[in-house]
């Protein structure tokens, strides 16, 4: 609680538990941000990531990015092709994903430090542990989440 905060924003139960005044903070729905990370390290469980399997990851990343942008989320796409991330409308995100390739980039270097992160990877067990645990989607989960064309399955 800071001087000037509205009294109606005080969360009385939490304040009683902690022994000091606490204010409920509400997030504006327009502030929804999501970082989607495409693993371009080029490794799959059995070795090098084949073209079809990598294309499956790229297609799933594009589908997820498009769906989130359509629902009003601010989306950035990260990977070895764009370590700092690409943001913007769906067209800009898809243009960036078109440049993606298995470049051997270290996954830990491209995961941003923000709370809402989704990582699409062929090796879910290799995702580094971070302070904010990202949602990790492996190749096995993608078939359940996205309807991809038969040629990409």
């Amino acid at each position: 609680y800071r001087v000037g905060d509205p009294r109606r924003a005080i969360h009385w139960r939490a304040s009683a538990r902690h022994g000091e005044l606490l204010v409920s903070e509400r997030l504006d729905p327009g502030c929804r941000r999501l970082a989607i990370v495409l693993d371009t390290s080029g490794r799959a469980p059995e070795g090098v990531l084949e073209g079809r399997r990598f294309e499956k990851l790229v297609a799933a990343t594009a589908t997820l990015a498009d769906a989130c942008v359509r629902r009003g989320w601010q989306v950035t796409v990260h990977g070895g092709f764009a370590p700092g991330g690409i943001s913007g409308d769906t067209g800009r995100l898809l243009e960036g994903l078109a440049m993606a390739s298995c470049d051997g980039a270290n996954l830990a270097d491209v995961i941003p430090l923000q709370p809402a992160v989704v990582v699409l990877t062929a090796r879910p067990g290799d995702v580094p542990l971070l302070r904010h645990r990202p949602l990790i989607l492996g190749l096995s989960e993608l078939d359940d989440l996205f309807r991809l064309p038969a040629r990409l399955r």
Side-chain angles (χ1 to χ4, degrees):
Y1 176 79
R2 288 184 219 132
V3 176
D5 283 342
R7 293 182 59 91
R8 68 179 177 279
I10 296 173
H11 193 288
W12 293 104
R13 277 193 183 158
S15 296
R17 269 187 265 131
H18 292 289
E20 61 181 318
L21 290 178
L22 298 175
V23 177
S24 298
E25 292 185 25
R26 307 284 184 215
L27 293 177
D28 181 13
C31 293
R32 297 183 293 181
R33 294 188 181 110
L34 176 66
I36 303 173
V37 178
L38 173 63
D39 182 6
T40 60
S41 63
R43 294 173 291 151
E46 59 276 342
V48 176
L49 191 60
E50 304 110 29
R52 290 181 75 165
R53 297 180 75 167
F54 183 71
E55 287 301 319
K56 185 177 184 178
L57 286 173
V58 173
T61 303
T63 302
L64 180 61
D66 179 53
C68 291
V69 168
R70 287 177 189 249
R71 286 171 176 80
W73 285 73
Q74 183 181 17
V75 177
T76 56
V77 176
H78 301 261
F81 58 96
I86 298 170
S87 62
D89 62 356
T90 301
R92 182 167 161 83
L93 296 174
L94 295 180
E95 285 176 11
L97 284 170
M99 304 302 291
S101 64
C102 291
D103 53 15
N106 186 3
L107 187 58
D109 294 339
V110 296
I111 297 177
L113 298 175
Q114 68 183 59
V117 178
V118 177
V119 177
L120 285 86
T121 181
R123 295 186 61 98
D126 286 355
V127 176
L129 295 175
L130 302 169
R131 189 171 66 191
H132 294 290
R133 181 83 174 137
L135 172 63
I136 302 166
L137 298 175
L139 286 170
S140 60
E141 288 93 10
L142 295 180
D143 287 332
D144 297 333
L145 295 174
F146 303 107
R147 287 205 178 271
L148 296 175
R151 61 182 165 73
L152 291 178
R153 289 186 205 153

